[in-house]
Amino acid sequence: MDTVIRDAQLVDGSGAPARRADVGLREGRIAEIHHADAGGPRPSGPHVIEAEGLTLAPGFIDMHAHSDLALLRDPDHSAKAAQGVTLEVIGQDGLSYAPVDERTLSDVRSAITGWNGDGSDIDFDWRTVGGYLDRLDRQGIAVNAAYLVPQGTVRMLAVGWDDRPASEDELTRMRQLVAEGLEQGAVGLSSGLTYTPGMYAPTSELAELCRVVARYAGYYCPHHRSYGAGALEAYAEMVGLCQDAGCALHLAHATMNFGVNEGRAGELLALLDEAIAGGADISLDTYPYTPGCTTLVAMLPSWASEGGPEAILARLAEPETRARIRHSMEVEGSDGCHGVPMEWDTIEISGVSTPGLRDFVGKTVAAAARERGEEAFDTACRLLVEDRLGTTILQHVGHEANVQAIMRHSVHTGGSDGILQGDKPHPRAYGTFPQYLGRYVRELGVLSLEECVAHLTSRAAARLRLPDRGLVREGYRADLVLFDPDTVAAGSTFEAPRTAPVGVPHVLVDGRPVIRDGRRTDVLAGRSVRRTPVG
């Protein structure tokens, strides 16, 4: 063996009870599992990890990550590696950096500056999905990465920023772009249906793209049209269109938020159970926190974002249009804010792109407005204009009972939705997986340890159609995590969000130590994980 992990409590990702075992690794794969009660010789090798008191599990799979540029910008990537994450799924919420042309690359960089920075430090030497995945492989990355074709970016290429149905020629081009992305290795299609321009697509257009995804045995991952007013109807739309298209469905950061949905998780789960019983292929991911995180510009009504970033800024500068935007947001409840009128005291500023605006960070929009003696809407507009739409926010609108009910469901997986930008990012980016193990397993008992590990590993691997990941089995990839079940916890908090987790001493990617004795090594063993061809 190259490496032997000795005397671990093996939680293999299947949901089976833990068993004491030695595990031998050779050439990046699990070569031997020797259970303590089996007798016979134990595996040996030049490198031994003494795992007494530690749990050995498959590496965690982050089903919803926003590390698209962070993987290139920060080879260390301890934000995820230190949690035990060995694979991230990026290209989320319908907006990312491939496929693009010169025009759309500039637009998408502006549109999601709040998620990933403006990219001024990145050499964008790709334009296709395959080119982006190749770039990850050439550079070397800390953890593995799979990619979803972003439907909003595809629509940008084919239709632009117009709020209208696609023509038949435009729809044909979008089908072609999605197919090309899947052929080049993407595992599915994502949408951000409260983000422009993806939200301009009608259900029928989305279903046509999902038919392409189905042909390649991929899956559709929508951030659907509402997590607030009309949330159940929005979930039902996604279930129905995927049933119509014959496409697997994975619901992104699935939850029920805002006051209108308190205590209503059971209604969502009943909707999903009925569809699953009828043969639908459905899964979902969540993060174990109540606040959400997005960009401030996403709160605007969709009509105010038509035409792209420069058009938004022009509208905010025009008094009559600005007043109309305010009415939509504060009285009607804009579609950008899930149909719920703005409650500015729930919107906390978590990051800005312009250094001179950092005094806003950590304050709600309402509190910042009171300090300046102005209306909250005017403070929000000040931020949008002066920060060139780069402001990120925390949205304190979730409900703990809903979070716990959904994470118990049998099709649940873990996803951080981690945005790494900003002075005060959401702690989920640095703490999601230890938070599951520490708070929701050990402290609250919402899930058993074995069940939780299965949620975070094998169920996600099954959705991704990865035949050799997600379980500790002989012949499988040696993507592994060792953690102390008695101490593992998220170090990150809302006050100190970039604090490292505790109780995760070892993480291996491809059998190589990415985290050793709780410290990041210089190993870059991650690679792009591409769609498994069908047939």
Side-chain angles (χ1 to χ4, degrees), residues 365-405:
V365 172
R370 285 193 295 270
E371 288 182 0
R372 287 159 178 76
E374 62 187 9
E375 296 292 324
F377 176 78
D378 293 328
T379 298
C381 288
R382 177 197 300 273
L383 278 165
L384 288 169
V385 172
E386 294 182 11
D387 207 25
R388 301 285 301 175
L389 313 181
T391 305
T392 53
I393 60 171
L394 303 183
Q395 207 168 3
H396 294 270
V397 293
H399 306 285
E400 181 67 21
N402 286 350
V403 170
Q404 292 191 24

Side-chain angles (χ1 to χ4, degrees), residues 509-528:
V509 175
D510 201 35
R512 301 167 62 193
V514 174
I515 301 291
R516 180 193 290 128
D517 296 323
R519 297 181 181 88
R520 178 72 172 91
T521 70
D522 60 359
V523 169
L524 296 176
R527 292 293 182 269
S528 64

Side-chain angles (χ1 to χ4, degrees), residues 192-472:
L193 299 179
T194 63
Y195 301 128
T196 54
M199 70 190 303
Y200 299 143
T203 306
S204 57
E205 178 180 309
L206 298 171
E208 285 299 309
L209 301 185
C210 284
R211 289 188 176 91
V212 177
V213 176
R215 289 202 301 272
Y216 288 88
Y219 69 92
Y220 180 45
C221 180
H223 163 134
H224 53 278
R225 298 192 195 274
S226 176
Y227 291 80
L232 284 175
E233 292 81 359
Y235 279 114
E237 177 195 8
M238 298 297 99
V239 171
L241 81 84
C242 281
Q243 287 175 316
D244 177 52
C247 183
L249 173 65
H250 181 85
L251 295 165
H253 37 62
T255 189
M256 299 282 285
N257 287 337
F258 301 91
V260 294
N261 290 316
E262 186 171 4
R264 298 185 68 191
E267 296 175 56
L268 166 61
L269 298 178
L271 169 69
L272 301 183
D273 284 340
E274 181 180 359
I276 292 167
D281 183 2
I282 298 175
S283 57
L284 56 85
D285 66 66
T286 70
Y287 47 84
Y289 299 88
T290 52
C293 179
T294 187
T295 56
L296 183 58
V297 68
M299 299 293 102
L300 296 177
S302 58
W303 59 263
S305 296
E306 186 176 6
E310 293 304 319
I312 295 171
L313 293 169
R315 291 187 182 100
L316 291 172
E318 203 284 308
E320 289 186 8
T321 306
R322 182 162 156 156
R324 185 181 165 207
I325 291 170
R326 179 173 186 170
H327 183 81
S328 175
M329 295 178 74
E330 295 187 341
V331 179
E332 297 172 345
S334 79
D335 47 4
C337 192
H338 308 273
V340 177
M342 295 299 301
E343 297 174 341
W344 293 111
D345 58 347
T346 69
I347 306 298
E348 179 184 354
I349 302 151
S350 61
V352 293
S353 298
T354 303
L357 299 173
R358 283 181 176 155
D359 284 349
F360 286 89
V361 173
K363 301 170 184 175
T364 66
V365 172
R370 285 193 295 270
E371 288 182 0
R372 287 159 178 76
E374 62 187 9
E375 296 292 324
F377 176 78
D378 293 328
T379 298
C381 288
R382 177 197 300 273
L383 278 165
L384 288 169
V385 172
E386 294 182 11
D387 207 25
R388 301 285 301 175
L389 313 181
T391 305
T392 53
I393 60 171
L394 303 183
Q395 207 168 3
H396 294 270
V397 293
H399 306 285
E400 181 67 21
N402 286 350
V403 170
Q404 292 191 24
I406 294 168
M407 75 168 64
R408 291 189 184 101
H409 198 274
S410 61
V411 302
H412 169 264
T413 67
S416 70
D417 197 11
I419 293 173
L420 302 171
Q421 285 293 115
D423 294 307
K424 194 172 178 285
H426 197 303
R428 68 193 184 190
Y430 291 78
T432 284
F433 294 86
Q435 178 84 339
Y436 270 117
L437 297 168
R439 177 164 174 75
Y440 289 94
V441 172
R442 185 180 63 247
E443 295 177 9
L444 299 180
V446 175
L447 297 167
S448 71
L449 179 61
E450 291 86 352
E451 183 182 10
C452 184
V453 168
H455 285 226
L456 305 181
T457 59
S458 63
R459 293 183 187 176
R463 167 51 70 222
L464 295 168
R465 295 177 52 86
L466 301 177
D468 58 356
R469 299 178 194 267
L471 292 166
V472 182

Side-chain angles (χ1 to χ4, degrees), residues 5-11 18-23 34-36 42 49-57 481-483:
I5 301 169
R6 195 174 300 287
D7 292 319
Q9 281 296 113
L10 175 59
V11 176
R19 295 179 67 184
R20 192 176 182 89
D22 298 340
V23 176
H34 183 274
H35 294 289
R42 303 169 74 176
I49 299 174
E50 296 293 348
E52 181 71 36
L54 299 178
T55 294
L56 173 65
V481 57
L482 280 155
F483 61 89

Side-chain angles (χ1 to χ4, degrees), residues 182-183 185-186 215-218 464-467 530-535:
L182 292 162
E183 288 170 359
R215 289 202 301 272
Y216 288 88
L464 295 168
R465 295 177 52 86
L466 301 177
R530 310 196 188 204
R531 183 185 61 85
T532 303
V534 179

